[in-house]
């Protein structure tokens, strides 16, 4: 089939590569977010999906909005049979959805109808889910509510960050998306409406959402820190300045007042509502990321000081 692939970040690359390598399909263009400023020089930089398309000589479309008349005109001229989507990050109006014969098929990183929305993997980790997965579905106007073609599942491991889990799902999800498009082409696959029960939503996580609350139980602090790693990154305040924090590890042998810091020879502990957690890597303002023990030696933490 003639495909126009829509996606933006690195997590979409396994799927795009699968279609580029498939002898059954022809990726005639990709749609991605416009080039964005990056680095200290704020130089405009192509998205990962756009950069991979450039490497393969595939046309790159970067509309500010997916309903722009110029974009729609070019999309119609390309005559795509189907448009696969992975983390594109732009709303698709109905006039755009109507262009390809077989519609737009999205790879979403949850087992729908659970965790519809922008941050399903982060929600699964923060919620303490044992199992998550990925689903392919036909995009409709309502958010992530279209009929489902297929599902793969994935165990959430005890120390998974969102980045760890998303990396695995991007690979298994690419196989699912390719097989879904193959099945649509063959006429052997039919989408099934999502059940009305079990719908949950995962809103985009902001920087403020990623602030750790040490008055919560250790398990909740741990899950939030892993959920927001690598983006937007966990943080708290120490001595009135923001301190970026990597994932923490709950311990069962120390209890401290919430937020109080205890420096040991091989670990730095912070109290929670239950047992303490051990800090992993930390990054103070204007400093490089370092092990918590190195940071603690440098700042010379006094007895009773707190992170909040």
């Amino acid at each position: 089939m003639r495909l126009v692939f829509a996606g933006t970040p690195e997590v979409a690359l396994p799927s795009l590569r699968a279609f580029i390598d498939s002898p059954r399909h022809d990726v005639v263009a990709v749609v991605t977010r416009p080039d964005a400023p990056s680095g200290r020089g704020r130089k405009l930089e192509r998205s990962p999906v756009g950069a991979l398309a450039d490497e393969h000589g595939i046309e790159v479309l970067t509309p500010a909005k997916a309903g722009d008349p110029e974009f729609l005109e070019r999309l119609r001229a390309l005559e795509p049979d189907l448009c696969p989507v992975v983390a594109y990050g732009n709303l698709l109006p109905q006039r755009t959805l109507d262009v390809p014969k077989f519609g737009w098929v999205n790879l979403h990183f949850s087992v729908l109808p659970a965790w519809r929305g922008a941050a399903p993997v982060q929600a699964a980790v923060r919620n303490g889910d044992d199992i998550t997965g990925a689903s392919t579905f036909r995009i409709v106007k309502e958010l992530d509510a279209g009929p489902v073609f297929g599902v793969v599942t994935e165990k959430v491991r005890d120390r998974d960050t969102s980045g760890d889990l998303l990396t695995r799902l991007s690979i298994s999800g690419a196989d699912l998306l390719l097989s879904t498009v193959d099945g649509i082409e063959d006429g052997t696959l039919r989408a099934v409406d999502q059940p009305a029960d079990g719908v949950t939503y995962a809103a985009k996580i902001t920087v403020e959402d990623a602030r750790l609350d040490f008055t919560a139980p250790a398990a909740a602090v741990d899950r939030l820190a892993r959920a927001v790693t690598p983006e937007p990154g966990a943080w708290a305040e120490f001595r009135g300045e923001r301190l970026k924090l990597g994932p923490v590890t709950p311990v069962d042998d120390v209890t401290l007042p919430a937020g109080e810091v205890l420096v040991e020879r091989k670990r730095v502990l912070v109290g929670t509502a239950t047992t303490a957690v051990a800090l992993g890597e930390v990054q103070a303002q204007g400093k490089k990321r370092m092990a918590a023990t190195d940071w603690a030696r440098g700042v010379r933490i006094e007895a009773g000081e707190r992170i909040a």
Side-chain angles (χ1 to χ4, degrees):
M1 284 201 287
R2 289 175 60 82
L3 305 178
V4 171
F5 181 91
T8 297
E10 287 190 16
V11 72
L13 297 184
S15 292
L16 177 55
R17 289 191 183 101
F19 287 116
I20 291 173
D21 294 340
S22 172
R24 298 185 55 168
H25 307 296
D26 181 16
V27 181
V28 296
V30 303
V31 186
T32 190
R33 296 294 295 271
D35 297 357
S38 179
R40 291 184 178 180
R42 310 304 291 164
K43 182 180 178 181
L44 288 179
E45 187 172 292
R46 196 71 118 176
S47 75
V49 163
L52 181 59
D54 287 338
E55 290 177 16
H56 289 269
I58 299 170
E59 181 177 352
V60 178
L61 306 175
T62 58
K65 295 182 179 180
D68 289 348
E70 298 84 359
F71 167 68
L72 276 174
E73 181 180 359
R74 182 57 189 150
L75 183 64
R76 293 188 182 107
L78 288 167
E79 297 182 336
D81 297 306
L82 185 147
C83 295
V85 184
V86 184
Y88 170 40
N90 213 334
L91 293 176
L92 299 168
Q94 191 61 51
R95 59 186 178 276
T96 305
L97 296 177
D98 291 339
V99 173
K101 177 181 178 181
F102 294 102
W104 296 65
V105 176
N106 189 50
L107 174 64
H108 183 77
F109 296 109
S110 79
V111 179
L112 293 169
W115 302 130
R116 296 176 180 176
V121 175
Q122 292 92 330
V125 173
R126 184 174 186 177
N127 194 59
D129 292 357
D130 294 322
I131 299 291
T132 187
S135 308
T136 50
F137 69 95
R138 180 178 290 113
I139 296 179
V140 297
K141 188 174 182 179
E142 186 181 352
L143 178 66
D144 299 334
V148 173
F149 289 102
V151 170
V152 292
T153 59
E154 176 73 31
K155 178 177 173 56
V156 183
R157 300 170 186 170
D158 290 343
R159 303 308 305 157
D160 267 342
T161 65
S162 290
D164 298 330
L165 185 53
L166 190 55
T167 295
R168 299 201 304 275
L169 287 172
S170 71
I171 295 169
S172 60
D175 292 336
L176 173 64
L177 184 58
L178 178 60
S179 64
T180 295
V181 174
D182 288 347
I184 292 171
E185 182 182 37
D186 294 339
T188 58
L189 194 59
R190 296 288 182 271
V192 177
D193 289 340
Q194 295 184 34
D197 296 331
V199 175
T200 50
Y201 289 93
K204 182 179 179 180
I205 294 179
T206 66
V207 171
E208 190 59 38
D209 294 331
R211 182 173 187 170
L212 298 187
D213 177 9
F214 291 101
T215 66
V221 175
D222 167 42
R223 291 199 302 263
L224 176 57
R226 289 186 289 112
V228 298
T229 299
E231 294 293 340
W235 63 281
E237 285 190 356
F238 178 72
R239 296 178 181 172
E241 293 188 347
R242 183 171 296 192
L243 183 68
K244 294 182 180 180
L245 301 170
V248 302
T249 303
V251 301
D252 58 10
D253 59 340
V254 178
T255 300
L256 295 167
E260 185 171 313
V261 184
L262 174 64
V263 181
E264 297 182 342
R265 188 167 69 88
K266 292 186 176 181
R267 60 184 184 176
V268 179
L269 305 178
V270 181
T272 75
T274 54
T275 56
V277 296
L279 300 184
E281 289 189 327
V282 305
Q283 184 177 9
Q285 285 187 338
K287 304 292 185 180
K288 294 182 179 180
R289 185 174 291 269
M290 65 183 70
T293 50
D294 294 335
W295 164 77
R297 281 193 294 268
V299 297
R300 298 181 180 181
I301 294 173
E302 298 178 4
E305 283 199 277
R306 299 190 178 217
I307 293 177

